[in-house]
Amino acid sequence: MEYQWNIQYEYNNNILELIRKSKNMTKKEFDQFLDIKSSKFRNPNLLPNIEKAVERTKQAIKNKEKIMIAGDYDCDGVTSTSIMVLGLSTLTPYVSWTIPLRSDGYGLSNKIVDKAIEDNIDLIITVDNGISAKSVIEYANQNNIDVIVTDHHQLLQELPTDICVDPCITKDYPFQSICGCMVAYKFLRMLIPDLHKQKIHDEIAVLTAFGTIGDMMLLIDENRKFVSKALSILNKKEHISYGIDALVNHTKLKKGNITSSDIAFYISPSINALGRLEDASVGVQLFLSDDEVLANTLAEKTIHLNNKRKTIQQEVVNDIKINEEEPFIIKVLDNIPAGLLGVVAGKFVTKYQKPCFLLHSNKNNTLSGSGRSYLDYDISKCISENFDICNGGGHKASCGLSLNKDNFNEFKKRCYANYNNWLKTSSDGNKTTPTLQFLCELDGSAINDHTMSYIKQLEPFGTGNSVPQFCMKDVRVVD
């Protein structure tokens, strides 16, 4: 793969000053960024409708109503479900939970509501989903089930219910890059004022950090402070919970040295693998387990499925033939689990330097799948500008969609046209060549403990706060 090199600055002894410049921060802003302890954790009551949600939940607890937590099948959904159940279970025994299979579709569905009706549920609380479930919530309401939505995704239509807690539905909440798990955590802080003093708090905080990192939220602002504190808990406490301890042990991570990068590379993908290949409910069972033997069995299964996911993923990337003459990779793959389409698409993007949609066939003459973008191209526009032939949504870098098989060739044609138009109108003539961004060029003498101590001050690293990259020229790699 060919790259452009962009070396931002000439090296000087003050690495932190170069990093400050690269972040476009004033000295005061950068000092505040480094001083995590003094940064603020934003008040939960700033979240829209959170007081309504808390009052309705208190009413349910007082009246001994049955409450169902409805989550999602990714890392954020699993951790959100787990912490909401852990928190509410300290207040009422009438709490159950559910996570859909990937084949059931994303988020709250009529199938989940039917299960709630069967179980005589009075109140459903969604976590990490629900903002787009208006028709499903209406169905629940028609069957005398109230619904509280806690979510963090963008509102695309009208509010699904008047008790909808989501930082993105108004401008009242000043930092919108919090995950579903963080919304659930803040809800619990409002519902249980002394939560931070309770035994379960450390467990809930660590799971919230897993969700934040796993959902690739920006590690700036309050997320940076929160994840830093949670990592400190994880590294210093010998026992947090059977589930967390078992998962850490089976990933071979050593407490005392676990970083946000370790969570991103080992913990989060393992939790995600459950929903991609089998049933994400295993993750909730793991984190709610109060039995050490069961927790170790579930953790072992979680790691096994993640290793299986990596093997399948690599085989597909190596074996599938791609027409490299086409500007955009769009393929139907029915021989791999549907849950792997997104991650495999990402691998294809890296390998072939092109945007990619991977789809699979459904029984009702439809195709569904995932897209991953290349460089700064907004792949979600392939969906939002073509609602006449497909459905779905997502972000600039990734999205999900479904369409009728009869529209597949037309969809390909429009994607090619959209991408080619982006290439032509781009102001950067080398837009299709990825760039390696380096802070500066180092000489050998600069690679020392002093430099490393500077870099360590920037942790935790993640989305929005990446590890600074350096380069050396004219060297021969010996070992």
Side-chain angles (χ1 to χ4, degrees):
M1 182 181 291
E2 294 183 359
Y3 294 94
Q4 298 179 74
W5 283 35
N6 180 27
I7 302 173
Q8 293 176 276
Y9 305 104
E10 287 188 19
Y11 171 72
N12 64 41
N13 288 322
N14 194 342
I15 294 287
L16 282 179
E17 178 62 15
L18 298 183
I19 292 171
R20 180 190 70 78
K21 288 182 180 179
S22 72
K23 290 180 175 293
N24 294 316
M25 289 182 175
T26 65
K27 189 175 186 308
K28 182 178 179 181
E29 289 170 338
F30 192 59
D31 288 343
Q32 290 173 341
F33 177 80
L34 295 178
D35 186 10
I36 295 180
K37 292 182 180 178
S38 67
S39 59
K40 294 181 179 179
F41 182 65
R42 299 188 183 278
N43 196 322
N45 65 16
L46 294 175
L47 283 167
N49 304 314
I50 194 166
E51 291 181 356
K52 286 183 184 178
V54 168
E55 285 306 310
R56 178 63 186 90
T57 306
K58 285 180 177 179
Q59 176 188 336
I61 293 167
K62 180 180 179 181
N63 296 335
K64 297 182 179 181
E65 296 179 42
K66 289 186 176 182
I67 303 172
M68 174 188 280
I69 309 304
D72 189 29
Y73 43 65
D74 67 354
C75 179
D76 190 17
V78 167
T79 51
S80 300
T81 303
S82 301
I83 74 161
M84 192 66 91
V85 173
L86 285 166
L88 286 176
S89 294
T90 66
L91 304 174
T92 175
Y94 305 108
V95 182
S96 62
W97 57 274
T98 186
I99 295 239
L101 296 171
R102 190 171 285 265
S103 58
D104 293 332
Y106 165 76
L108 193 64
S109 64
N110 284 358
K111 182 177 179 180
I112 290 175
V113 174
D114 287 339
K115 178 71 166 59
I117 295 169
E118 183 182 327
D119 294 344
N120 296 313
I121 298 296
D122 301 292
L123 174 65
I124 294 174
I125 302 177
T126 72
V127 287
D128 189 36
N129 75 95
I131 195 68
S132 58
K134 184 173 176 59
S135 62
V136 179
I137 292 173
E138 288 174 348
Y139 176 55
N141 294 158
Q142 289 165 7
N143 286 278
N144 300 314
I145 299 174
D146 288 343
V147 180
I148 294 172
V149 169
T150 74
D151 201 350
H152 72 121
H153 295 101
Q154 294 287 338
L155 178 67
L156 299 178
Q157 301 170 345
E158 60 182 305
L159 279 178
T161 171
D162 61 346
I163 312 182
C164 185
V165 185
D166 186 322
C168 298
I169 62 176
T170 71
K171 295 183 179 179
D172 296 338
Y173 198 78
F175 180 65
Q176 298 193 337
S177 187
I178 58 174
C179 66
C181 203
M182 185 68 81
V183 175
Y185 174 85
K186 287 174 179 285
F187 170 82
L188 289 175
R189 284 296 299 264
M190 288 282 287
L191 182 67
I192 312 170
D194 66 342
L195 178 66
H196 61 293
K197 297 179 182 178
Q198 295 198 17
K199 185 178 179 181
I200 62 165
H201 178 264
D202 287 351
E203 179 180 0
I204 286 176
V206 171
L207 289 175
T208 302
F210 287 177
T212 298
I213 295 168
D215 223 34
M216 300 182 70
M217 295 291 101
L218 296 176
L219 283 194
I220 58 175
D221 204 280
E222 63 178 322
N223 284 344
R224 175 171 156 77
K225 178 184 179 74
F226 190 94
V227 168
S228 179
K229 284 195 168 187
L231 286 172
S232 178
I233 293 169
L234 181 61
N235 282 307
K236 289 179 179 178
K237 288 197 70 171
E238 184 176 340
H239 173 69
I240 297 174
S241 73
Y242 288 128
I244 291 173
D245 294 346
L247 189 57
V248 167
N249 291 336
H250 280 275
T251 51
K252 310 298 184 187
L253 296 175
K254 300 296 182 184
K255 284 192 176 183
N257 300 301
I258 300 173
T259 66
S260 55
S261 298
D262 292 325
I263 305 301
F265 283 106
Y266 300 105
I267 299 289
S268 300
S270 298
I271 300 170
N272 276 323
L274 295 167
R276 293 188 189 283
L277 293 182
E278 287 192 12
D279 186 351
S281 295
V282 171
V284 181
Q285 293 166 7
L286 170 64
F287 294 131
L288 296 181
S289 175
D290 57 3
D291 180 277
E292 186 174 7
V293 175
L294 176 60
N296 276 294
T297 299
L298 295 173
E300 188 175 356
K301 178 175 184 178
T302 301
I303 301 304
H304 168 72
L305 283 174
N306 191 41
N307 289 333
K308 181 179 178 181
R309 184 269 306 171
K310 288 188 281 189
T311 300
I312 296 172
Q313 182 178 304
Q314 195 57 52
E315 288 174 350
V316 172
V317 173
N318 291 339
D319 295 345
I320 296 296
K321 302 302 180 186
I322 298 296
N323 183 353
E324 298 189 42
E325 300 300 315
E326 294 180 340
F328 201 131
I329 301 170
I330 304 177
K331 289 186 73 69
V332 177
L333 298 181
D334 288 330
N335 60 339
I336 67 170
L340 294 186
L341 293 172
V343 289
V344 172
K347 294 295 181 182
F348 279 152
V349 169
T350 301
K351 183 175 181 178
Y352 296 102
Q353 301 179 46
K354 298 175 182 180
C356 177
F357 276 112
L358 294 183
L359 309 168
H360 76 109
S361 302
N362 303 314
K363 294 179 181 178
N364 54 354
N365 199 44
T366 63
L367 299 168
S368 60
S370 297
R372 295 294 184 269
S373 188
Y374 177 61
L375 298 178
D376 291 329
Y377 174 62
D378 187 352
I379 197 168
S380 69
K381 288 187 176 180
C382 290
I383 299 171
S384 62
E385 295 178 359
N386 294 298
F387 278 141
D388 60 315
I389 60 169
C390 67
N391 293 298
H395 310 286
K396 186 175 182 179
S398 64
C399 55
L401 82 157
S402 63
L403 70 158
N404 191 286
K405 284 184 178 180
D406 296 338
N407 292 325
F408 178 65
N409 288 331
E410 177 64 20
F411 180 72
K412 284 181 68 172
K413 179 181 173 182
R414 294 188 190 184
C415 287
Y416 290 174
N418 187 292
Y419 184 57
N420 284 329
N421 184 59
W422 176 79
L423 291 175
K424 290 176 184 177
T425 57
S426 170
S427 60
D428 183 352
N430 294 314
K431 196 67 177 178
T432 58
T433 303
T435 300
L436 293 177
Q437 298 285 356
F438 298 110
L439 186 71
C440 62
E441 181 181 352
L442 295 180
D443 59 34
S445 64
I447 303 175
N448 53 44
D449 290 342
H450 201 56
T451 301
M452 292 305 295
S453 68
Y454 283 144
I455 296 171
K456 195 169 180 63
Q457 291 182 55
L458 302 168
E459 293 182 347
F461 293 115
T463 306
N465 183 38
S466 57
V467 182
Q469 307 243 26
F470 305 91
C471 65
M472 295 178 71
K473 292 180 179 178
D474 302 320
V475 296
R476 181 166 60 92
V477 178
V478 176
D479 196 6

PDB file of all heavy atoms in Angstrom, residues 378-402:
ATOM      1  N   ASP A 378     -18.067  10.145   2.579  1.00  0.00           N
ATOM      2  CA  ASP A 378     -19.249   9.933   3.412  1.00  0.00           C
ATOM      3  C   ASP A 378     -20.110   8.834   2.802  1.00  0.00           C
ATOM      4  O   ASP A 378     -20.954   9.075   1.952  1.00  0.00           O
ATOM      5  CB  ASP A 378     -20.045  11.232   3.536  1.00  0.00           C
ATOM      6  CG  ASP A 378     -21.199  11.118   4.532  1.00  0.00           C
ATOM      7  OD1 ASP A 378     -21.470   9.994   4.996  1.00  0.00           O
ATOM      8  OD2 ASP A 378     -21.815  12.151   4.836  1.00  0.00           O
ATOM      9  N   ILE A 379     -19.906   7.595   3.271  1.00  0.00           N
ATOM     10  CA  ILE A 379     -20.609   6.448   2.684  1.00  0.00           C
ATOM     11  C   ILE A 379     -22.093   6.441   3.044  1.00  0.00           C
ATOM     12  O   ILE A 379     -22.908   5.859   2.326  1.00  0.00           O
ATOM     13  CB  ILE A 379     -19.934   5.125   3.111  1.00  0.00           C
ATOM     14  CG1 ILE A 379     -20.382   3.984   2.206  1.00  0.00           C
ATOM     15  CG2 ILE A 379     -20.192   4.819   4.586  1.00  0.00           C
ATOM     16  CD1 ILE A 379     -19.573   2.708   2.364  1.00  0.00           C
ATOM     17  N   SER A 380     -22.470   7.117   4.125  1.00  0.00           N
ATOM     18  CA  SER A 380     -23.880   7.121   4.525  1.00  0.00           C
ATOM     19  C   SER A 380     -24.767   7.817   3.493  1.00  0.00           C
ATOM     20  O   SER A 380     -25.969   7.571   3.437  1.00  0.00           O
ATOM     21  CB  SER A 380     -24.053   7.786   5.894  1.00  0.00           C
ATOM     22  OG  SER A 380     -23.806   9.182   5.824  1.00  0.00           O
ATOM     23  N   LYS A 381     -24.171   8.688   2.653  1.00  0.00           N
ATOM     24  CA  LYS A 381     -24.959   9.361   1.622  1.00  0.00           C
ATOM     25  C   LYS A 381     -25.466   8.390   0.565  1.00  0.00           C
ATOM     26  O   LYS A 381     -26.448   8.674  -0.128  1.00  0.00           O
ATOM     27  CB  LYS A 381     -24.131  10.472   0.967  1.00  0.00           C
ATOM     28  CG  LYS A 381     -23.912  11.676   1.863  1.00  0.00           C
ATOM     29  CD  LYS A 381     -23.243  12.821   1.121  1.00  0.00           C
ATOM     30  CE  LYS A 381     -23.121  14.059   2.011  1.00  0.00           C
ATOM     31  NZ  LYS A 381     -22.472  15.188   1.311  1.00  0.00           N
ATOM     32  N   CYS A 382     -24.793   7.252   0.427  1.00  0.00           N
ATOM     33  CA  CYS A 382     -25.277   6.234  -0.514  1.00  0.00           C
ATOM     34  C   CYS A 382     -26.648   5.712  -0.092  1.00  0.00           C
ATOM     35  O   CYS A 382     -27.398   5.182  -0.916  1.00  0.00           O
ATOM     36  CB  CYS A 382     -24.284   5.071  -0.580  1.00  0.00           C
ATOM     37  SG  CYS A 382     -22.731   5.482  -1.386  1.00  0.00           S
ATOM     38  N   ILE A 383     -26.952   5.871   1.186  1.00  0.00           N
ATOM     39  CA  ILE A 383     -28.266   5.460   1.694  1.00  0.00           C
ATOM     40  C   ILE A 383     -29.213   6.646   1.750  1.00  0.00           C
ATOM     41  O   ILE A 383     -30.319   6.607   1.202  1.00  0.00           O
ATOM     42  CB  ILE A 383     -28.124   4.821   3.088  1.00  0.00           C
ATOM     43  CG1 ILE A 383     -27.233   3.577   3.016  1.00  0.00           C
ATOM     44  CG2 ILE A 383     -29.492   4.457   3.651  1.00  0.00           C
ATOM     45  CD1 ILE A 383     -26.853   3.009   4.356  1.00  0.00           C
ATOM     46  N   SER A 384     -28.763   7.733   2.384  1.00  0.00           N
ATOM     47  CA  SER A 384     -29.661   8.873   2.618  1.00  0.00           C
ATOM     48  C   SER A 384     -30.127   9.529   1.324  1.00  0.00           C
ATOM     49  O   SER A 384     -31.198  10.140   1.292  1.00  0.00           O
ATOM     50  CB  SER A 384     -28.963   9.909   3.501  1.00  0.00           C
ATOM     51  OG  SER A 384     -27.810  10.432   2.873  1.00  0.00           O
ATOM     52  N   GLU A 385     -29.346   9.400   0.246  1.00  0.00           N
ATOM     53  CA  GLU A 385     -29.747   9.995  -1.033  1.00  0.00           C
ATOM     54  C   GLU A 385     -30.487   8.999  -1.929  1.00  0.00           C
ATOM     55  O   GLU A 385     -30.830   9.323  -3.062  1.00  0.00           O
ATOM     56  CB  GLU A 385     -28.503  10.537  -1.759  1.00  0.00           C
ATOM     57  CG  GLU A 385     -27.839  11.700  -1.019  1.00  0.00           C
ATOM     58  CD  GLU A 385     -26.587  12.210  -1.707  1.00  0.00           C
ATOM     59  OE1 GLU A 385     -26.224  11.646  -2.767  1.00  0.00           O
ATOM     60  OE2 GLU A 385     -25.972  13.161  -1.177  1.00  0.00           O
ATOM     61  N   ASN A 386     -30.735   7.796  -1.398  1.00  0.00           N
ATOM     62  CA  ASN A 386     -31.379   6.766  -2.226  1.00  0.00           C
ATOM     63  C   ASN A 386     -32.464   6.009  -1.469  1.00  0.00           C
ATOM     64  O   ASN A 386     -32.621   4.798  -1.616  1.00  0.00           O
ATOM     65  CB  ASN A 386     -30.318   5.767  -2.722  1.00  0.00           C
ATOM     66  CG  ASN A 386     -29.321   6.403  -3.670  1.00  0.00           C
ATOM     67  OD1 ASN A 386     -29.695   6.876  -4.739  1.00  0.00           O
ATOM     68  ND2 ASN A 386     -28.072   6.442  -3.268  1.00  0.00           N
ATOM     69  N   PHE A 387     -33.224   6.751  -0.658  1.00  0.00           N
ATOM     70  CA  PHE A 387     -34.278   6.102   0.119  1.00  0.00           C
ATOM     71  C   PHE A 387     -35.390   5.526  -0.764  1.00  0.00           C
ATOM     72  O   PHE A 387     -36.228   4.751  -0.285  1.00  0.00           O
ATOM     73  CB  PHE A 387     -34.885   7.078   1.127  1.00  0.00           C
ATOM     74  CG  PHE A 387     -34.084   7.228   2.393  1.00  0.00           C
ATOM     75  CD1 PHE A 387     -33.942   8.468   2.993  1.00  0.00           C
ATOM     76  CD2 PHE A 387     -33.474   6.135   2.985  1.00  0.00           C
ATOM     77  CE1 PHE A 387     -33.209   8.617   4.166  1.00  0.00           C
ATOM     78  CE2 PHE A 387     -32.744   6.271   4.155  1.00  0.00           C
ATOM     79  CZ  PHE A 387     -32.608   7.512   4.745  1.00  0.00           C
ATOM     80  N   ASP A 388     -35.404   5.881  -2.050  1.00  0.00           N
ATOM     81  CA  ASP A 388     -36.410   5.306  -2.932  1.00  0.00           C
ATOM     82  C   ASP A 388     -36.130   3.832  -3.246  1.00  0.00           C
ATOM     83  O   ASP A 388     -37.031   3.096  -3.655  1.00  0.00           O
ATOM     84  CB  ASP A 388     -36.506   6.105  -4.235  1.00  0.00           C
ATOM     85  CG  ASP A 388     -35.191   6.122  -5.010  1.00  0.00           C
ATOM     86  OD1 ASP A 388     -34.135   6.331  -4.372  1.00  0.00           O
ATOM     87  OD2 ASP A 388     -35.226   5.936  -6.242  1.00  0.00           O
ATOM     88  N   ILE A 389     -34.878   3.389  -3.021  1.00  0.00           N
ATOM     89  CA  ILE A 389     -34.554   1.981  -3.319  1.00  0.00           C
ATOM     90  C   ILE A 389     -33.923   1.239  -2.134  1.00  0.00           C
ATOM     91  O   ILE A 389     -33.661   0.036  -2.226  1.00  0.00           O
ATOM     92  CB  ILE A 389     -33.611   1.857  -4.540  1.00  0.00           C
ATOM     93  CG1 ILE A 389     -32.286   2.597  -4.284  1.00  0.00           C
ATOM     94  CG2 ILE A 389     -34.292   2.346  -5.801  1.00  0.00           C
ATOM     95  CD1 ILE A 389     -31.227   2.296  -5.331  1.00  0.00           C
ATOM     96  N   CYS A 390     -33.656   1.923  -1.015  1.00  0.00           N
ATOM     97  CA  CYS A 390     -33.054   1.234   0.125  1.00  0.00           C
ATOM     98  C   CYS A 390     -33.456   1.911   1.435  1.00  0.00           C
ATOM     99  O   CYS A 390     -33.995   3.021   1.432  1.00  0.00           O
ATOM    100  CB  CYS A 390     -31.525   1.197   0.004  1.00  0.00           C
ATOM    101  SG  CYS A 390     -30.719   2.807   0.133  1.00  0.00           S
ATOM    102  N   ASN A 391     -33.177   1.237   2.532  1.00  0.00           N
ATOM    103  CA  ASN A 391     -33.420   1.777   3.864  1.00  0.00           C
ATOM    104  C   ASN A 391     -32.160   1.602   4.698  1.00  0.00           C
ATOM    105  O   ASN A 391     -31.342   0.730   4.442  1.00  0.00           O
ATOM    106  CB  ASN A 391     -34.578   1.036   4.549  1.00  0.00           C
ATOM    107  CG  ASN A 391     -35.901   1.280   3.880  1.00  0.00           C
ATOM    108  OD1 ASN A 391     -36.365   2.409   3.819  1.00  0.00           O
ATOM    109  ND2 ASN A 391     -36.504   0.223   3.348  1.00  0.00           N
ATOM    110  N   GLY A 392     -32.034   2.430   5.730  1.00  0.00           N
ATOM    111  CA  GLY A 392     -30.885   2.290   6.621  1.00  0.00           C
ATOM    112  C   GLY A 392     -30.370   3.638   7.073  1.00  0.00           C
ATOM    113  O   GLY A 392     -31.060   4.656   6.991  1.00  0.00           O
ATOM    114  N   GLY A 393     -29.152   3.634   7.563  1.00  0.00           N
ATOM    115  CA  GLY A 393     -28.545   4.866   8.048  1.00  0.00           C
ATOM    116  C   GLY A 393     -27.245   4.563   8.756  1.00  0.00           C
ATOM    117  O   GLY A 393     -26.772   3.426   8.782  1.00  0.00           O
ATOM    118  N   GLY A 394     -26.662   5.593   9.325  1.00  0.00           N
ATOM    119  CA  GLY A 394     -25.401   5.402  10.034  1.00  0.00           C
ATOM    120  C   GLY A 394     -24.590   6.668  10.089  1.00  0.00           C
ATOM    121  O   GLY A 394     -25.131   7.777  10.205  1.00  0.00           O
ATOM    122  N   HIS A 395     -23.294   6.510   9.949  1.00  0.00           N
ATOM    123  CA  HIS A 395     -22.370   7.620  10.092  1.00  0.00           C
ATOM    124  C   HIS A 395     -21.545   7.776   8.815  1.00  0.00           C
ATOM    125  O   HIS A 395     -21.634   6.975   7.885  1.00  0.00           O
ATOM    126  CB  HIS A 395     -21.447   7.381  11.288  1.00  0.00           C
ATOM    127  CG  HIS A 395     -22.175   7.020  12.542  1.00  0.00           C
ATOM    128  ND1 HIS A 395     -22.872   7.942  13.277  1.00  0.00           N
ATOM    129  CD2 HIS A 395     -22.329   5.830  13.181  1.00  0.00           C
ATOM    130  CE1 HIS A 395     -23.424   7.345  14.328  1.00  0.00           C
ATOM    131  NE2 HIS A 395     -23.112   6.062  14.292  1.00  0.00           N
ATOM    132  N   LYS A 396     -20.702   8.796   8.813  1.00  0.00           N
ATOM    133  CA  LYS A 396     -19.857   9.065   7.655  1.00  0.00           C
ATOM    134  C   LYS A 396     -18.950   7.881   7.329  1.00  0.00           C
ATOM    135  O   LYS A 396     -18.726   7.551   6.169  1.00  0.00           O
ATOM    136  CB  LYS A 396     -19.013  10.311   7.934  1.00  0.00           C
ATOM    137  CG  LYS A 396     -18.178  10.793   6.764  1.00  0.00           C
ATOM    138  CD  LYS A 396     -17.483  12.100   7.109  1.00  0.00           C
ATOM    139  CE  LYS A 396     -16.675  12.613   5.926  1.00  0.00           C
ATOM    140  NZ  LYS A 396     -16.013  13.903   6.224  1.00  0.00           N
ATOM    141  N   ALA A 397     -18.452   7.218   8.365  1.00  0.00           N
ATOM    142  CA  ALA A 397     -17.485   6.140   8.162  1.00  0.00           C
ATOM    143  C   ALA A 397     -18.112   4.757   8.064  1.00  0.00           C
ATOM    144  O   ALA A 397     -17.509   3.837   7.507  1.00  0.00           O
ATOM    145  CB  ALA A 397     -16.449   6.148   9.280  1.00  0.00           C
ATOM    146  N   SER A 398     -19.322   4.588   8.613  1.00  0.00           N
ATOM    147  CA  SER A 398     -19.939   3.254   8.597  1.00  0.00           C
ATOM    148  C   SER A 398     -21.454   3.377   8.614  1.00  0.00           C
ATOM    149  O   SER A 398     -22.002   4.358   9.121  1.00  0.00           O
ATOM    150  CB  SER A 398     -19.471   2.430   9.795  1.00  0.00           C
ATOM    151  OG  SER A 398     -19.909   3.008  11.008  1.00  0.00           O
ATOM    152  N   CYS A 399     -22.117   2.371   8.060  1.00  0.00           N
ATOM    153  CA  CYS A 399     -23.581   2.414   8.011  1.00  0.00           C
ATOM    154  C   CYS A 399     -24.125   1.014   7.781  1.00  0.00           C
ATOM    155  O   CYS A 399     -23.386   0.076   7.480  1.00  0.00           O
ATOM    156  CB  CYS A 399     -24.053   3.350   6.900  1.00  0.00           C
ATOM    157  SG  CYS A 399     -23.392   2.950   5.270  1.00  0.00           S
ATOM    158  N   GLY A 400     -25.436   0.887   7.936  1.00  0.00           N
ATOM    159  CA  GLY A 400     -26.112  -0.363   7.665  1.00  0.00           C
ATOM    160  C   GLY A 400     -27.302  -0.114   6.754  1.00  0.00           C
ATOM    161  O   GLY A 400     -27.880   0.987   6.770  1.00  0.00           O
ATOM    162  N   LEU A 401     -27.662  -1.107   5.948  1.00  0.00           N
ATOM    163  CA  LEU A 401     -28.760  -0.883   5.007  1.00  0.00           C
ATOM    164  C   LEU A 401     -29.479  -2.174   4.673  1.00  0.00           C
ATOM    165  O   LEU A 401     -28.994  -3.273   4.954  1.00  0.00           O
ATOM    166  CB  LEU A 401     -28.244  -0.267   3.710  1.00  0.00           C
ATOM    167  CG  LEU A 401     -27.647  -1.230   2.663  1.00  0.00           C
ATOM    168  CD1 LEU A 401     -27.709  -0.608   1.286  1.00  0.00           C
ATOM    169  CD2 LEU A 401     -26.222  -1.605   3.024  1.00  0.00           C
ATOM    170  N   SER A 402     -30.637  -2.020   4.071  1.00  0.00           N
ATOM    171  CA  SER A 402     -31.371  -3.139   3.491  1.00  0.00           C
ATOM    172  C   SER A 402     -32.017  -2.662   2.202  1.00  0.00           C
ATOM    173  O   SER A 402     -32.342  -1.476   2.062  1.00  0.00           O
ATOM    174  CB  SER A 402     -32.437  -3.663   4.463  1.00  0.00           C
ATOM    175  OG  SER A 402     -33.409  -2.667   4.724  1.00  0.00           O
TER     176      SER A 402
END
